[in-house]
Amino acid sequence: MMTLSLYDAVIPSNRQILGAVAGLIDKAAAFAQAQGRDEAALIDARLASDMLPFGYQVKSCANHSAGAWAGVQAGSFSPSRSMWPTDFAGLRALVEEADAHLAAIDRAAFDATAEQPTDFVMGEMRLPFTAGQFLLSFSQPNFYFHATTAYAILRKEGVKLGKADFLGRLRLRPAG
């Protein structure tokens, strides 16, 4: 019987999709260059007028992965209100930094936080979670929402992407 730890349920998938988001950024940069499109126009592209742009979606992937772990460690998570990078190199660096933070996490330390109180705080609103509840029922769904939205924005803008671009590097069982 396989036992799945909190670390196993969160970190490998976050890292897989962060790698895919880095690939989306690379494809967007190549598309902008090939089409003579301004980087800022793609970074500011939205699915709908009342939704936040591609740059925000990428920033939120970093925020709901590495930022979520920082929130667990602090006992409180608040969404970042900082501006996102305005060029593809900056967005890629943000994703790479988030992935590096996740790569450095100690599995045992991560798993040991599962029952630790972790609050989501936004203005006057405070939602009480355990770290496990917060990561699995709040941050992870948000992470996938923002990664999917980033993908969809680029598709809408004409960037040639397929499902494999969203999935990134799959974690296959070793041969043999």
Side-chain angles (χ1 to χ4, degrees):
M1 174 154 111
M2 179 178 149
T3 301
L4 187 68
S5 71
L6 182 61
Y7 179 96
D8 293 331
V10 176
I11 300 304
S13 294
N14 278 178
R15 294 196 65 212
Q16 176 183 338
I17 299 303
L18 282 174
V21 170
L24 297 179
I25 295 165
D26 292 345
K27 285 203 170 188
F31 175 82
Q33 185 174 33
Q35 299 293 318
R37 297 214 20 210
D38 182 40
E39 279 189 11
L42 273 178
I43 291 169
D44 290 337
R46 302 165 186 255
L47 280 180
S49 62
D50 64 346
M51 290 182 78
L52 289 161
F54 177 76
Y56 175 85
Q57 305 305 329
V58 171
K59 180 190 88 158
S60 293
C61 289
N63 200 33
H64 283 290
S65 57
W69 171 236
V72 165
Q73 291 176 300
S76 177
F77 173 88
S78 295
S80 169
R81 300 220 183 259
S82 67
M83 215 28 217
W84 49 90
T86 57
D87 62 6
F88 291 126
L91 287 174
R92 192 155 204 319
L94 183 66
V95 169
E96 289 171 353
E97 181 180 330
D99 185 58
H101 283 295
L102 296 181
I105 292 172
D106 178 77
R107 174 189 296 271
F110 191 89
D111 286 339
T113 66
E115 297 302 319
Q116 173 182 308
T118 302
D119 293 344
F120 172 78
V121 180
M122 191 165 78
E124 297 297 315
M125 180 178 60
R126 179 175 294 272
L127 301 175
F129 293 99
T130 65
Q133 292 166 335
F134 167 73
L135 291 166
L136 294 172
S137 75
F138 184 83
S139 262
Q140 198 169 52
N142 270 284
F143 174 79
Y144 283 109
F145 171 83
H146 292 295
T148 301
T149 303
Y151 172 92
I153 288 169
L154 293 181
R155 283 291 308 258
K156 175 186 163 282
E157 292 298 312
V159 178
K160 299 294 182 215
L161 299 171
K163 187 187 288 188
D165 295 301
F166 180 83
L167 294 175
R169 180 178 290 151
L170 301 176
R171 298 181 315 270
L172 304 174
R173 88 179 138 74

